[in-house]
């Protein structure tokens, strides 16, 4: 991720990366703890009953271990791609892949708040040129605004479609909002607007559901 040199933006770049890494490591620890518990239980069963009569139960437990290990490896691959996006300031990338990667890494935050997180991405969107890490940072904090604004049981839909000037990303919250209407987002809107300007995007908020739209203008992303 390119350093802007602006102290206010750098502060939130660091917050973004800290939040992603903390969430990932917590999720990985949870999955490894489950694997350890299941493996220990099976060892106890085998030690007590050396004939292992419950073969089907043992097989089911081992399949569960395989599933948790597979999910941990998948998350590690996602984090690896996320990390490598920080290597370059500008690249040609698929917006759908970048946002799917981000959604994978922030699902735990939504689960903690008991708010659903869904996606609806138009297939075969054209690639764009820009800074994918800063786009992820922008979408992350706008998602954070919506997730923090909703009471438990709400949901947030991230929709992405091709738009005549480029690509439109819409963040659409559904459900009851917290009393007072405050978003509770961790990054001030003026910082998000400055990040959007830096990557050639436009943010707008409105509509019945107070959805937030991010327009990536292709003319600005392809100099």
């Amino acid at each position: 991720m390119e350093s802007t040199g602006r102290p206010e933006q750098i502060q939130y770049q660091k917050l973004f990366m800290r939040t992603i890494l903390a969430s990932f490591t917590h999720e990985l620890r949870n999955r490894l703890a489950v694997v350890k518990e299941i493996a220990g239980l099976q060892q106890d069963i085998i030690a007590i009953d050396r004939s292992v009569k419950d073969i089907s139960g043992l097989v089911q437990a081992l399949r569960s271990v395989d599933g948790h290990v597979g999910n941990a490896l998948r998350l590690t691959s996602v984090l690896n791609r996320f990390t490598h996006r920080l290597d370059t300031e500008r690249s040609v990338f698929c917006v759908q892949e970048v946002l799917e990667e981000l959604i994978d890494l922030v699902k735990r935050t939504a689960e903690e708040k008991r708010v659903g997180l869904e996606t609806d991405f138009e297939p075969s969107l054209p690639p764009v040129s820009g800074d994918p890490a800063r786009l992820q940072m922008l979408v992350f904090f706008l998602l954070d605004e919506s997730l923090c604004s909703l009471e438990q049981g709400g949901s947030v839909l991230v929709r992405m479609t091709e738009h005549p000037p480029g690509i439109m990303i819409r963040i659409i919250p559904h459900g009851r909002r917290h009393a007072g209407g405050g978003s509770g987002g961790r990054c001030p809107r003026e910082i998000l607007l400055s990040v959007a300007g830096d990557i050639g995007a436009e943010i707008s908020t409105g509509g019945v559901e107070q959805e937030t739209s991010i327009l990536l203008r292709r003319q600005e992303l392809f100099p």
Side-chain angles (χ1 to χ4, degrees), residues 90-102:
R90 190 175 183 85
S91 63
V92 176
F93 62 94
C94 172
V95 181
Q96 179 171 340
E97 288 180 0
V98 165
L99 291 195
E100 284 176 344
E101 183 178 287
L102 177 67

Side-chain angles (χ1 to χ4, degrees), residues 31-44:
R31 294 188 182 277
L32 292 177
V34 172
V35 169
K36 182 177 180 180
E37 181 178 352
I38 294 174
L41 177 60
Q42 297 313 305
Q43 290 174 29
D44 292 342

